[in-house]
Amino acid sequence: MKARGIFSLYQKALNRRPYLIQAIQAGTLMGAGDITSQTLFEDNSFKHVDYKRSLKFASIGFFIGGPTLRMWYGVLNRHVGSQGKIVAVKKVLVDQLLFAPSFLGMILVCAGTMQGKTWDKVKSDVQANYFDVLQTNYYIWPWVQLVNFYFVPLQYQVLLVQTVALFWNTYLAWKTNRKRLLDN
């Protein structure tokens, strides 16, 4: 099947079930980010990848990341606007000042919880990593979101973000598992 045919199938599925499709793509890319982290940064071969860990990380994307992003971009579109340079800048500001800090905190809490950590350990890990992750976010995501909000139609915004997020998810997987890896 040619790329155009695959894209056409994707577009039809996205129009019929936007939340489901975007949940699947977010989960898939978060899982891929964790596998990439394990194989590139944690020196595991594919034989030694902890697929259970990757599935847990993917579930964060499936149940939280994809649906939340889809809903958020709809809210931005309704309340800030849908087109134009000024609208794109306003969306980036609202996204990065309101959404990103809370979303990143939620992702860090979910990652710690999925790793089976106690609430006290989750809190201490979030305190140790949150500002570093947020700062790194600000180096990358405002520029991605500016392109996303200015050039990309609403129905494809989560896809663009999740494609870039493959690299971001690799970083988050490494960051949220780094302490655990050092302890082993």
Side-chain angles (χ1 to χ4, degrees):
M1 183 177 263
K2 292 184 178 183
R4 181 174 272 181
I6 293 170
F7 184 73
S8 177
L9 286 174
Y10 169 77
Q11 195 169 20
K12 286 177 188 174
L14 185 61
N15 287 336
R16 265 185 262 145
R17 304 261 175 145
Y19 282 92
L20 177 62
I21 297 304
Q22 291 175 341
I24 291 169
Q25 73 191 21
T28 301
L29 290 167
M30 282 192 79
D34 185 71
I35 291 169
T36 303
S37 173
Q38 289 185 55
T39 55
L40 291 182
F41 300 112
E42 300 168 28
D43 295 326
N44 287 338
S45 67
F46 278 105
K47 283 183 184 179
H48 297 96
V49 167
D50 181 350
Y51 289 104
K52 187 176 178 183
R53 176 185 128 178
S54 297
L55 186 59
K56 288 178 181 179
F57 203 66
S59 70
I60 296 170
F62 182 83
F63 291 108
I64 296 170
T68 302
L69 288 170
R70 174 66 176 97
M71 182 182 66
W72 175 243
Y73 292 158
V75 166
L76 283 176
N77 234 37
R78 276 190 305 281
H79 296 289
V80 179
S82 62
Q83 294 180 336
K85 292 176 187 174
I86 300 299
V87 167
V89 170
K90 286 179 183 179
K91 282 182 173 181
V92 169
L93 288 171
V94 171
D95 182 67
Q96 292 300 302
L97 295 175
L98 296 179
F99 182 76
S102 58
F103 186 69
L104 289 173
M106 180 175 55
I107 294 296
L108 293 175
V109 168
C110 288
T113 302
M114 294 299 279
Q115 292 168 359
K117 295 178 181 176
T118 66
W119 179 243
D120 288 337
K121 183 66 176 143
V122 169
K123 284 193 318 189
S124 70
D125 284 358
V126 169
Q127 288 172 343
N129 290 319
Y130 178 76
F131 287 106
D132 187 40
V133 169
L134 185 62
Q135 181 179 10
T136 304
N137 166 83
Y138 287 139
Y139 290 130
I140 299 166
W141 287 107
W143 308 109
V144 172
Q145 292 294 46
L146 191 59
V147 168
N148 196 29
F149 294 140
Y150 187 66
F151 292 108
V152 180
L154 177 63
Q155 69 266 28
Y156 303 119
Q157 288 177 355
V158 174
L159 177 62
L160 173 71
V161 164
Q162 288 300 320
T163 302
V164 174
L166 176 59
F167 303 102
W168 178 250
N169 294 334
T170 300
Y171 165 74
L172 285 178
W174 169 79
K175 189 75 171 169
T176 58
N177 286 284
R178 187 179 62 170
K179 178 85 171 112
R180 192 173 74 163
L181 296 168
L182 295 173
D183 291 343
N184 288 336

